[in-house]
Amino acid sequence: MNSSSKSAALYLAVAATLQAQTPDAARKLAPSAAEALGAGTLSEVVVTAERDRRYSADAATSGTRLAEPILDTPRSVGVITPQLLEDQQINDPQEAVRNVSGVVRSASFTGVGENFIIRGFQQSDLIKDGFRAGSNSNTGLVATGPTDVANLDRIEVLKGPAAILYGRGEPGGVVNYLTRTPAFEQRFSLEQQLGSYEFYRTELGANWNAVPDQLALRLDAAYDRNESFIDHVEGERWFVAPAFKWQLGPDTTLTFRGEYSHDERSTEPGVPFVNGEVLPGVPYHRYFGEPGFTQFTTEQWRGLLELEHRWSDWAKTTLSLHGRRAEQDGAYFILFNFAGPSFDPVTGLVSRGVAITDFEDETLTARLDQVFDWTIWERAGTTVTDKDGKAVSETPGFAIRNQLLLSGEYERETRDTRRLLGAQASINAFDPDYRGYQPSPLLPFPGFPLRFQELGEIEAENFSLLLTDRLSFGETVYLSFGGRVDWFQGDSLSFYPDPTIPFGRFEQAQEETYFSPFAGLVVKPSRHVSLYASYSESTSVFGNIFAAPVADGAAVEAEASRQYEAGIKAELFNRRLIASAAVFQIEKENVIGSDPSNPFFSINAGEERSRGFEIDLAGEPLPGWKILANYAYIDARVTDDPIDATTGHRRFGVPENSGGLFTTYEIQDGPLAGLGLGGGATFSDRVETSNANTGDLSGWVTADAVLYYQRGRFRAQLNVKNLTDEEYYYTYNVSGDGATVLRGNARTIVASVKFEF
């Protein structure tokens, strides 16, 4: 099916949906109108729900797994709102993270999927709706493809160790994608985007109040295709996300959210980083793969079923089942080859390794949450009046409340990987001649095969028990504490069936029981200002089953981390603007590395530390003027290396200073009402390309601009990203070897038209 017929299919789907609706289905009687008119003279009033169009959020779930006001949460939580996603025309979630301080983009060795560095450490898992929904490539070979934004409601970033809520993981934090849930209303939208490099995207959203106040249905779908500023790079994706919400009774709700995506796109091997600099003299658009050969096809299925029952006004139970499966096959290049030099400055030849792949991932999670929320002690407020009834003194009320979360969870994850490994004929960086797949030996051993096969299997199970408690003393003091116990077991197998391969067979098993505590305190000297401090820990255990054992045959110890954080949050301009500032220190120990005396084994190589401060500002200080700004200073270093090769060095990929600003203004009155314009800038300091600190990437600044017109339920918009066409780079390899870097996006123009019905 070509692109025209695919977009036509989406248009026909939404047209059929609209045809099936009657005007009366979207009308409801406003209670205030009924009271004013009296019972005998009722008339119809059309009520429309106004969408939240702010850059700030009052509450978030990612910091506690409960919807708490951000000011009352003793953690740093950033929220990327729906309006911000729309104004910046974000189709790649990696563009969204620039709106949160301390979060920067990284890259995988395939160039496919999302990779983030948060507070100096790479995020190892992708979280969606609070569940593990894939991993990036620093936890081994995975089938995770790019995330589509069609059904995203918002993106929340919890900074610092998140193990108490989400289990094992890196200490920098997590990015949690929150998807839309059906609502008991009629709402439909259709959006068309066109842009640079043959970019084309059609997106629709439909919400039906199928059985009024009992059954709501939702469908989000998208189709897009694109080329790239990089030669021979292209992509195409279908995405569909059905959902329903069924009110089984006044206190019982069943909700389902599903997803399916089919994604085909070129893998991107990056650019060689040679002698401490990006390969000089090579055009920014140069492609080092092979057209039509180095690409991935990824299919992903995901489902989340939640049954919620409220037993009383103080007790609620939620049973959740979450499943995900992904299949990915294709090929990718790495700009490295053991059989020869990575780059020959005389001939301009760049060596390449090649992998033809077939990956499968599956994850199944069952979770039972029990929430208790009750008042321990309460004192009613009193008012003393004079003889005329005028208040002369007041004693405010005071209550001590307790909010307790008990949770049990079982998670099972499996991965099957099949790779055909070898080398690819070198390519001339200055004058490439693409000749298709031409394999050659990867290693310079006598009799080493032209290609060899690697098979891998991973099975991991985790069971956990969680208890968190939150005590509130009036509206002034909030004390949170708790812990999570995890029982983890994982097994991995790597097998090379070719008898000439010296590696043969490698098996690794890991069993770990670990405890993740958390404690936090919030003190509010006034209603709109809060001071907080917190302590948290995390364990990164999954990566151990990819590491070889230590030389004596024992398993490497799990990496462990702790964080100390303190900060201030405030609501300004009558709660229209939220500002926050935080200081933190993260300490990581038992870091896994290669044994210097035997590279086929591992050791717990040392310690790392990241510390700094962050500032975030978001909101609408004046009607029509929205603003978001952030800044982070982060000093991330290796603090202990067994052979002192990197002790004191900066961690790769982490800028010392980074931040950004984005603002828009929309005319509120007159004939130009609804016209908005704005823009912003994002900046980053230089970053090291490896922990050896042998080379760095220059700092950069990019600028964006937006112009839009919104009238009723119609919106037209024009975005220009990287306005000055800045050439800039990200650290590429998750192992930090510094051999390759990835390019940032060139200047891109995106025009869009959106209708809501």
Side-chain angles (χ1 to χ4, degrees):
M1 184 181 291
N2 59 33
S3 60
S4 299
S5 59
K6 289 176 179 177
S7 62
L10 288 179
Y11 280 112
L12 289 174
V14 78
T17 299
L18 295 174
Q19 182 69 25
Q21 306 305 313
T22 62
D24 293 339
R27 299 176 180 173
K28 290 186 178 180
L29 181 66
S32 57
E35 294 171 2
L37 294 171
T41 57
L42 297 179
S43 66
E44 248 183 3
V45 178
V46 177
V47 178
T48 58
E50 182 68 23
R51 186 169 67 90
D52 192 344
R53 301 188 60 202
R54 298 179 298 167
Y55 286 178
S56 60
D58 297 325
T61 62
S62 297
T64 60
R65 286 221 325 240
L66 301 166
E68 284 187 3
I70 289 180
L71 255 65
D72 300 345
T73 303
R75 300 289 301 264
S76 181
V77 183
V79 181
I80 303 167
T81 64
Q83 187 62 49
L84 190 57
L85 292 171
E86 182 174 60
D87 286 356
Q88 294 185 351
Q89 204 63 271
I90 289 175
N91 292 310
D92 180 357
Q94 293 185 116
E95 295 181 5
V97 298
R98 63 183 176 176
N99 295 297
V100 180
S101 64
V103 188
V104 295
R105 178 181 174 180
S106 183
S108 70
F109 51 71
T110 65
V112 176
E114 294 103 62
N115 284 261
F116 309 114
I117 297 177
I118 308 175
R119 285 187 170 176
F121 295 96
Q122 288 192 317
Q123 181 190 14
S124 58
D125 295 290
L126 303 180
I127 305 296
K128 185 171 279 191
D129 296 319
F131 291 85
R132 208 177 308 274
S135 301
N136 62 34
S137 54
N138 70 331
T139 55
L141 303 174
V142 296
T144 302
T147 298
D148 199 280
V149 301
N151 67 332
L152 290 189
D153 178 65
R154 64 191 186 279
I155 301 174
E156 296 183 356
V157 181
L158 171 62
K159 290 183 277 188
I164 188 173
L165 301 177
Y166 306 110
R168 63 185 186 270
E170 290 293 323
V174 297
V175 176
N176 188 11
Y177 300 130
L178 281 303
T179 62
R180 299 189 183 104
T181 56
F184 294 113
E185 63 178 11
Q186 307 290 102
R187 182 177 290 272
F188 309 95
S189 65
L190 180 64
E191 182 175 9
Q192 181 65 59
Q193 300 177 25
L194 299 171
S196 305
Y197 311 110
E198 302 296 327
F199 173 71
Y200 179 100
R201 179 176 172 89
T202 303
E203 183 176 318
L204 72 85
N207 193 103
W208 297 272
N209 191 8
V211 180
D213 301 322
Q214 291 186 24
L215 179 63
L217 305 176
R218 182 170 186 90
L219 178 67
D220 293 285
Y223 166 76
D224 66 38
R225 61 170 174 79
N226 65 276
E227 294 183 4
S228 171
F229 68 95
I230 302 173
D231 296 338
H232 309 295
V233 171
E234 58 187 6
E236 184 178 35
R237 176 169 55 215
W238 269 102
F239 176 81
V240 60
F244 70 77
K245 182 176 183 179
W246 187 7
Q247 196 71 39
L248 300 175
D251 302 311
T252 307
T253 306
L254 182 66
T255 306
F256 171 78
R257 282 171 278 183
E259 294 177 9
Y260 168 75
S261 67
H262 178 91
D263 186 273
E264 299 180 15
R265 66 190 55 250
S266 306
T267 55
E268 219 290 78
V271 181
F273 189 81
V274 181
N275 299 326
E277 62 179 346
V278 177
L279 194 61
V282 176
Y284 198 61
H285 57 78
R286 178 72 74 234
Y287 182 54
F288 291 89
E290 287 293 333
F293 174 69
T294 43
Q295 64 182 29
F296 273 167
T297 298
T298 308
E299 286 193 293
Q300 295 188 93
W301 299 263
R302 174 181 173 267
L304 173 59
L305 187 66
E306 293 180 303
L307 178 63
E308 179 183 296
H309 179 74
R310 180 169 290 280
W311 304 93
S312 65
D313 58 357
W314 60 273
K316 181 180 71 172
T317 302
T318 304
L319 175 63
S320 304
L321 296 175
H322 179 268
R324 172 189 170 272
R325 176 177 173 80
E327 299 175 356
Q328 186 177 84
D329 61 80
Y332 65 90
F333 282 170
I334 298 176
L335 303 184
F336 178 77
N337 184 357
F338 289 100
S342 296
F343 172 67
D344 188 330
V346 177
T347 64
L349 294 180
V350 176
S351 298
R352 299 180 292 179
V354 62
I356 301 175
T357 64
D358 186 0
F359 302 154
E360 293 180 4
D361 291 351
E362 284 188 359
T363 304
L364 176 64
T365 306
R367 178 187 294 170
L368 181 65
D369 289 337
Q370 179 64 55
V371 176
F372 298 100
D373 188 349
W374 74 95
T375 300
I376 299 175
W377 181 80
E378 185 174 18
R379 182 193 66 201
T382 60
T383 302
V384 178
T385 61
D386 58 19
K387 62 181 180 179
D388 297 324
K390 183 179 180 180
V392 294
S393 66
E394 292 187 18
T395 302
F398 182 84
I400 300 177
R401 297 188 61 194
N402 190 62
Q403 193 173 35
L404 178 68
L405 168 63
L406 299 172
S407 180
E409 181 178 289
Y410 171 79
E411 181 183 44
R412 176 179 173 83
E413 183 171 353
T414 61
R415 300 181 187 178
D416 290 317
T417 62
R418 293 167 291 280
R419 291 195 297 175
L420 192 63
L421 300 170
Q424 169 72 13
S426 298
I427 190 170
N428 191 310
F430 307 111
D431 185 18
D433 181 15
Y434 301 107
R435 298 183 178 181
Y437 179 42
Q438 294 180 320
S440 61
L442 181 65
L443 296 177
F445 295 165
F448 200 84
L450 189 68
R451 299 175 298 180
F452 67 96
Q453 190 174 22
E454 177 190 50
L455 306 177
E457 295 180 0
I458 294 171
E459 292 186 5
E461 292 183 304
N462 193 86
F463 179 73
S464 66
L465 292 175
L466 162 70
L467 183 151
T468 63
D469 199 25
R470 180 174 183 265
L471 290 168
S472 58
F473 301 88
E475 297 182 355
T476 305
V477 178
Y478 301 88
L479 175 63
S480 301
F481 56 91
R484 172 178 176 138
V485 180
D486 284 84
W487 294 269
F488 174 86
Q489 177 179 346
D491 300 277
S492 70
L493 167 65
S494 294
F495 178 55
Y496 302 88
D498 193 312
T500 64
I501 303 300
F503 318 135
R505 182 185 181 95
F506 172 68
E507 295 182 70
Q508 173 73 358
Q510 186 78 17
E511 292 187 11
E512 198 82 31
T513 300
Y514 54 96
F515 178 67
S516 305
F518 169 78
L521 177 67
V522 176
V523 178
K524 301 181 72 171
S526 72
R527 184 178 180 183
H528 302 297
V529 177
S530 65
L531 307 173
Y532 75 91
S534 63
Y535 172 82
S536 53
E537 294 184 7
S538 70
T539 301
S540 182
V541 65
F542 196 86
N544 289 26
I545 63 177
F546 299 99
V550 296
D552 62 5
V556 290
E557 297 182 43
E559 297 177 339
S561 308
R562 65 187 68 88
Q563 176 187 261
Y564 308 89
E565 179 180 350
I568 181 172
K569 304 175 185 179
E571 295 176 325
L572 310 172
F573 292 90
N574 195 27
R575 301 186 64 196
R576 298 174 67 93
L577 191 70
I578 295 180
S580 64
V583 295
F584 68 90
Q585 176 158 311
I586 300 175
E587 300 166 354
K588 185 177 182 181
E589 59 188 23
N590 293 335
V591 178
I592 299 172
S594 297
D595 188 335
S597 61
N598 191 336
F600 288 99
F601 293 94
S602 296
I603 59 173
N604 290 105
E607 300 177 359
E608 297 173 344
R609 183 218 64 216
S610 178
R611 61 187 178 193
F613 65 88
E614 303 161 339
I615 300 172
D616 289 272
L617 184 72
E620 188 177 6
L622 297 173
W625 176 35
K626 302 181 184 70
I627 186 171
L628 179 140
N630 68 84
Y631 168 77
Y633 168 82
I634 297 178
D635 180 21
R637 296 185 180 273
V638 178
T639 54
D640 183 31
D641 180 345
I643 59 174
D644 285 331
T646 61
T647 300
H649 288 194
R650 290 188 58 83
R651 292 202 74 246
F652 76 96
V654 184
E656 193 171 54
N657 298 278
S658 63
L661 168 71
F662 187 79
T663 184
T664 59
Y665 178 73
E666 181 178 317
I667 299 173
Q668 302 294 291
D669 302 303
L672 296 179
L675 180 65
L677 73 162
T682 304
F683 74 92
S684 171
D685 253 354
R686 68 176 185 88
V687 299
E688 300 292 341
T689 58
S690 71
N691 286 349
N693 289 186
T694 55
D696 58 57
L697 297 174
S698 300
W700 48 266
V701 179
T702 61
D704 298 338
V706 59
L707 175 68
Y708 67 86
Y709 177 72
Q710 183 158 311
R711 198 69 167 179
R713 298 192 175 187
F714 166 80
R715 181 182 178 100
Q717 183 169 323
L718 180 69
N719 289 75
V720 183
K721 304 180 182 183
N722 192 2
L723 188 66
T724 60
D725 206 18
E726 175 83 0
E727 295 184 359
Y728 61 107
Y729 300 87
Y730 298 105
T731 52
Y732 175 84
N733 197 314
V734 291
S735 65
D737 63 13
T740 319
V741 295
L742 193 74
R743 290 157 282 199
N745 290 330
R747 178 169 52 229
T748 306
I749 300 173
V750 179
S752 64
V753 177
K754 184 176 183 179
F755 298 91
E756 292 184 298
F757 307 92

